[in-house]
Amino acid sequence: MGDYSELYQAILEGNAKKAKEITEAALAAGADPSELLSRYMIPAMDEVGKRFECQEYFVPELLIAGRAMKTALELLTPRLAASGAKAAGKVIIGTVKGDLHDIGKNLVASMLEGGGFQVTDLGVDVPAEKFVEAVGDQEGIIVAMSALLTTTMVYMREVIKALENAGIRNRVKVMVGGAPITQQFADQIGADGYSDNASGAVTLARRLVGLATAA
């Protein structure tokens, strides 16, 4: 396989057009889509996360890097599926019922995709039953909930109760986040994890996938 380090750089710089062009050229040259993802794209998004944590990057940089990653990933997804390549894990994400805020949720979803996760985005104002329906009979799934309002964050408890009532709580890991959310609140409602930023959410998701696999 050739050297496609320019793809890494394009994602790091948030250059979606260049990321797409390099990915198209690489695939045309016979590059392995799994290699492109694991050697260049995921490491680029990991570096974006590190720079965010060090305050070298801020939300705008995360957003444009995520967009560049998604542009390239859209070209790889059909080929990855055809080859049977496995994602790092599966995440069902949504902003809970009564809350229409999606910027933070979208950012986390992009970072998770950049981290190699298969993400199903349920959108905003998501009722508990929709989370339950999305999980279905799958195992090892992460349910990620977001809320920006103190009036809606309490609904996260209802979603966890719905998962319990449906008999599937033991088959999923639940992570929560959003401006008013704290670790204490996450513990109170019985969530498996909490992160206060998109980069940390990827690290958390990877840890939860490991726990789910070991369970």
Side-chain angles (χ1 to χ4, degrees):
M1 181 170 172
D3 180 10
Y4 297 105
S5 54
E6 286 187 349
L7 177 57
Y8 173 96
Q9 201 61 35
I11 291 172
L12 193 62
E13 295 171 357
N15 190 331
K17 182 180 178 182
K18 188 174 182 181
K20 181 180 180 181
E21 290 173 350
I22 295 169
T23 303
E24 286 176 334
L27 292 173
D32 182 342
S34 295
E35 287 284 300
L36 291 175
L37 184 64
S38 63
R39 288 182 59 184
Y40 302 104
M41 296 166 67
I42 290 177
M45 289 303 289
D46 284 345
E47 178 61 23
V48 168
K50 290 174 185 175
R51 293 188 183 190
F52 178 75
E53 290 174 354
C54 295
Q55 296 188 334
E56 292 178 31
Y57 274 16
F58 299 94
V59 171
E61 286 83 4
L62 289 187
L63 288 171
I64 62 171
R67 182 183 63 186
M69 172 74 182
K70 196 162 190 173
T71 299
L73 189 59
E74 285 174 352
L75 297 172
L76 298 188
T77 299
R79 300 192 184 212
L80 289 169
S83 68
K86 289 187 176 181
K90 294 182 179 180
V91 180
I92 293 167
I93 190 169
T95 303
V96 297
K97 184 177 179 179
D99 201 319
L100 301 177
H101 296 89
D102 67 353
I103 294 177
K105 182 263 299 173
N106 291 347
L107 182 53
V108 170
S110 292
M111 291 294 287
L112 286 168
E113 287 183 331
F117 286 85
Q118 179 183 324
V119 179
T120 299
D121 189 346
L122 301 181
V124 300
D125 192 23
V126 183
E129 55 268 24
K130 194 168 181 180
F131 281 105
V132 171
E133 181 184 341
V135 173
D137 59 1
Q138 303 177 87
E139 294 189 6
I141 303 293
I142 295 174
V143 173
M145 292 184 280
S146 172
L148 193 68
L149 306 173
T150 55
T151 52
T152 58
M153 62 186 269
V154 293
Y155 190 75
M156 291 178 171
R157 190 193 304 270
E158 298 304 312
V159 175
I160 292 176
K161 284 182 180 178
L163 294 170
E164 292 171 349
N165 292 337
I168 59 176
R169 176 65 182 92
N170 63 330
R171 291 198 275 110
V172 303
K173 296 296 181 183
V174 176
M175 55 188 280
V176 296
I181 311 301
T182 63
Q183 183 63 60
Q184 182 180 12
F185 177 75
D187 292 339
Q188 286 175 351
I189 65 173
D192 297 299
Y194 152 76
S195 177
D196 63 357
N197 64 78
S199 175
V202 177
T203 301
L204 172 61
R206 286 175 176 160
R207 180 173 65 82
L208 292 179
V209 163
L211 290 173
T213 303

